[in-house]
Amino acid sequence: MRANRSWPARLILILMMLLALSVPAFAAGADPTEETGTKMITCPDCGGVGACMECYGLDPECAVCGGANVCATCEGTGYVPSPSHFFNTPLSLLPPVIAIALALITKEVYSSLFIGIVVGGLLYSNFSFEGTLLHVFNDGIVSVLSDSYNVGILIFLVVLGTLVSLMNKAGASAAFGRWAQTNIKTRAGAQLASIVLGCLIFIDDYFNCLTVGSVMRPITDQHQVSRAKLAYIIDATAAPVCIIAPISSWAAAVASFAEEGQGLNLFIRAIPYNFYALFTIVMMFGLVLMKVDFGPMAKFERNAVEKGDLFSGSNPYAMLDEEIDESKGKVIDLVLPILVLVVCCVIGMIYSGGFFSGENFVTAFSNSDASVGLMLGSAFGLVFALIYYTARRSMAFKDMMASIPDGFKAMVPAILILTFAWSLKAMTDSLGAKYFVRDFVRSAEHLQMFLPVIVFVIGCLLAFATGTSWGTFGILIPIVQNVFSMDDPLAIICISACMAGAVCGDHCSPISDTTIMASAGAQCDHVNHVSTQLPYAISCAAIAGCAYLLAGILASQGLPGIIALPVGIVALLGFLVVMKNHQTT
């Protein structure tokens, strides 16, 4: 009876919501946030609707609107001025710049990120003490930890940590290491195997980072490959591979930012011009086959080969080191749970995209939610692993349960850094950094032949400063589509430059979630990973920038811009030859 009495109330509530969302007069007109130099933000009280969210216009005596159904905060416009004096100014990029500079200088990432967050809070609140505290904690840390997408990623991390702990206790990792020792004979072979596996797991960068790390650590450790080098390989086969794979969560993200119906077609057409991603893959193979290392990485590799020191410093994941019976494990104990995990995550991804509700595979993958898919897939993978190890009698039930808190503890460094990185992004967003970058790009529209390299550089800087490549796509791709007709050859080159710049900045940034997960996957100190990777990534970025400059000039003259791809590859290989000669002299 209670259910029968409640349905009229639910119907009234639904009608009220529909009424609130169907008041075009309040939010009508041009979106002021699209104006150059905007200081406007969506009204926090009505969400841009412009209607009274207290009574939805149904109460003539409403204390908020008096029955007028007008939001009192924005007076029905749906927008209000930002409270920050620094909104949409160059200083909106100051918080991430400070955080990144401090991390690279001090080699201490937690305090550096938190200082960047505090700077963002100070700028948003106009240096008000109370406003800073509220913005940092309520709108920053608490907000990102209450976001369902972020929580799903954190659960995925914990489950992966638990699986790694289970594999270690079952002796699976040691068994795989013994197999690798007899089948992979050289350091180059270990690194090439890591690269190939990373390229094969192109579904999602998060999944790539942790899976490749779990599988390849025993092999690279056997051949004295430094953890910093493994972290670079993992990172370089994550986002750079996903951004040129049509069936990946990244392809779905790019498609969602493009105009209706153009998404996947646009992504595929842009692949040959994604110079940074293609050059990064070429560079990885070149570094290994030519046996070249330079910059800080050369020191880490030398320590690994000559001293057996894989870390060149402290190991933040030392808590995973434990005494286990290495004689009882088999290779299948690692391979089978990983294969089941891969299959479950793929099924989880297409499930989240509606595959089991009638959508085809490609559409389901395009609409997938990586957070939901990976969380569900890893959960089923963990259940399988528990059942499998129980059937194999690999360890006691008590030891299996102990792997859950052990896996959580192993991922604490990654979880902390991710939380702070997400909070820092929230600070940057609240300061209108995306509007500042958008206006800057629009101001360069008249320099069409130079736009590919300009867009690439801006994409690099924006993704580096904010730690998000998907957010960079969302800002730059619509701008390029407004500047060019999609029939213009420069349009596809600029779309590719957006994606390449976003991946490059994401690859380099110490506050990028992919960079953080690569450190976690390799169980490498995060700052060491960033500092050793930067020279490699910057070298690729410089050559890619020159290639975009050449492609823009060629396309503007009616010549095929794709000529820049082989020219860039030759330049990259020539650069590696020079570094090889410098290394031997």
Side-chain angles (χ1 to χ4, degrees):
M1 293 297 293
R2 180 178 298 175
N4 290 335
R5 287 198 304 267
S6 65
W7 74 264
R10 293 177 183 174
L11 180 60
I12 292 172
L13 179 61
I14 292 171
L15 290 174
M16 290 165 61
M17 290 299 295
L18 289 174
L19 178 64
L21 295 174
S22 61
V23 188
F26 295 117
D31 183 349
T33 64
E34 291 300 315
E35 296 176 4
T36 301
T38 183
K39 297 292 183 182
M40 305 299 287
I41 60 174
T42 301
C43 176
D45 290 335
C46 68
V49 175
C52 174
M53 306 306 286
E54 183 70 23
C55 74
Y56 305 102
L58 300 179
D59 183 4
E61 299 180 359
C62 174
V64 176
C65 71
N69 195 20
V70 174
C71 174
T73 303
C74 64
E75 298 180 346
T77 62
Y79 301 93
V80 295
S82 170
S84 173
H85 300 325
F86 306 97
F87 187 85
N88 193 5
T89 67
L91 289 178
S92 62
L93 292 172
L94 185 61
V97 169
I98 288 176
I100 292 167
L102 286 175
L104 295 176
I105 293 170
T106 66
K107 309 294 184 185
E108 209 295 305
V109 70
Y110 305 115
S111 61
S112 301
L113 286 172
F114 188 72
I115 290 171
I117 294 168
V118 171
V119 170
L122 286 168
L123 292 175
Y124 181 82
S125 65
N126 304 311
F127 299 94
S128 160
F129 177 75
E130 179 184 6
T132 299
L133 284 179
L134 292 175
H135 192 58
V136 166
F137 289 99
N138 284 352
D139 303 331
I141 296 172
V142 173
S143 177
V144 301
L145 287 178
S146 60
D147 182 272
S148 61
Y149 186 94
N150 293 345
V151 172
I153 295 301
L154 296 183
I155 293 173
F156 174 61
L157 272 174
V158 172
V159 172
L160 263 292
T162 302
L163 278 170
V164 171
S165 180
L166 282 170
M167 288 182 223
N168 287 342
K169 289 182 178 179
S173 298
F176 193 75
R178 290 193 299 271
W179 173 86
Q181 194 171 21
T182 58
N183 290 273
I184 298 177
K185 304 292 186 181
T186 64
R187 293 183 80 248
Q191 294 174 74
L192 287 174
S194 302
I195 294 171
V196 171
L197 181 61
C199 291
L200 291 175
I201 303 179
F202 52 77
I203 296 169
D204 184 77
D205 54 328
Y206 293 168
F207 183 56
N208 177 301
C209 290
L210 297 174
T211 303
V212 175
S214 301
V215 173
M216 297 308 301
R217 273 197 313 271
I219 300 175
T220 54
D221 286 356
Q222 287 279 352
H223 291 282
Q224 283 78 49
V225 177
S226 69
R227 291 291 179 87
K229 187 65 170 292
L230 176 61
Y232 166 70
I233 291 172
I234 292 172
D235 209 349
T237 56
V241 171
C242 290
I243 198 61
I244 57 174
I247 302 177
S248 70
S249 57
W250 285 57
V254 171
S256 69
F257 295 126
E259 291 181 4
E260 189 69 27
Q262 292 187 6
L264 192 58
N265 177 54
L266 197 63
F267 182 90
I268 293 172
R269 290 171 62 196
I271 291 174
Y273 297 98
N274 202 318
F275 298 143
Y276 178 79
L278 296 170
F279 292 171
T280 296
I281 295 170
V282 171
M283 186 172 197
M284 278 190 296
F285 281 103
L287 288 169
V288 174
L289 295 175
M290 297 169 65
K291 297 182 180 179
V292 185
D293 280 303
F294 56 91
M297 187 72 79
K299 174 188 172 184
F300 278 73
E301 284 289 85
R302 192 163 51 248
N303 287 343
V305 173
E306 297 176 0
K307 303 176 183 178
D309 181 2
L310 301 178
F311 301 94
S312 294
S314 62
N315 175 13
Y317 295 86
M319 73 282 290
L320 275 184
D321 296 336
E322 51 190 328
E323 294 296 327
I324 56 175
D325 182 2
E326 297 185 352
S327 62
K328 62 185 178 183
K330 294 183 178 180
V331 173
I332 192 66
D333 294 340
L334 182 141
V335 174
L336 187 58
I338 290 291
L339 285 177
V340 171
L341 179 67
V342 172
V343 172
C344 287
C345 284
V346 172
I347 294 173
M349 295 279 283
I350 61 175
Y351 165 79
S352 68
F355 179 76
F356 298 102
S357 299
E359 297 287 355
N360 62 59
F361 182 87
V362 174
T363 302
F365 213 98
S366 298
N367 296 331
S368 65
D369 185 322
S371 175
V372 173
L374 294 177
M375 177 180 64
L376 295 178
S378 61
F380 278 101
L382 176 59
V383 170
F384 171 82
L386 292 171
I387 295 172
Y388 173 76
Y389 289 134
T390 299
R392 284 267 295 123
R393 298 186 179 182
S394 300
M395 68 191 89
F397 181 76
K398 180 180 178 181
D399 291 333
M400 285 194 287
M401 292 300 100
S403 293
I404 297 175
D406 287 346
F408 188 98
K409 287 185 288 186
M411 289 300 169
V412 165
I415 290 171
L416 276 175
I417 297 172
L418 267 179
T419 301
F420 283 155
W422 286 332
S423 301
L424 185 60
K425 180 185 179 298
M427 298 296 106
T428 309
D429 288 346
S430 69
L431 290 170
K434 66 179 182 180
Y435 299 120
F436 172 73
V437 173
R438 180 198 64 190
D439 293 346
F440 183 83
V441 174
R442 285 177 174 172
S443 68
E445 288 181 15
H446 59 287
L447 303 172
Q448 288 206 357
M449 75 168 62
F450 301 111
L451 262 184
V453 68
I454 291 173
V455 169
F456 175 71
V457 171
I458 291 173
C460 289
L461 296 176
L462 182 58
F464 184 82
T466 60
T468 170
S469 44
W470 288 18
T472 304
F473 299 154
I475 295 169
L476 294 182
I477 289 178
I479 295 173
V480 171
Q481 289 185 308
N482 288 332
V483 173
F484 293 103
S485 163
M486 288 299 103
D487 296 328
D488 190 330
L490 270 173
I492 297 300
I493 299 174
C494 285
I495 292 286
S496 294
C498 291
M499 295 190 284
V503 169
C504 177
D506 180 89
H507 195 189
C508 298
S509 177
I511 61 175
S512 159
D513 44 10
T514 310
T515 309
I516 294 163
M517 289 201 181
S519 302
Q523 293 187 3
C524 168
D525 179 82
H526 183 59
V527 175
N528 287 345
H529 167 45
V530 173
S531 61
T532 53
Q533 174 173 265
L534 271 177
Y536 292 174
I538 291 173
S539 299
C540 271
I543 295 171
C546 294
Y548 279 117
L549 178 60
L550 176 60
I553 294 173
L554 289 172
S556 66
Q557 300 300 316
L559 299 172
I562 196 63
I563 294 174
L565 177 60
V567 172
I569 291 175
V570 171
L572 176 60
L573 295 176
F575 169 77
L576 291 180
V577 169
V578 171
M579 298 309 296
K580 173 74 173 178
N581 293 335
H582 178 73
Q583 179 179 291
T584 55
T585 56

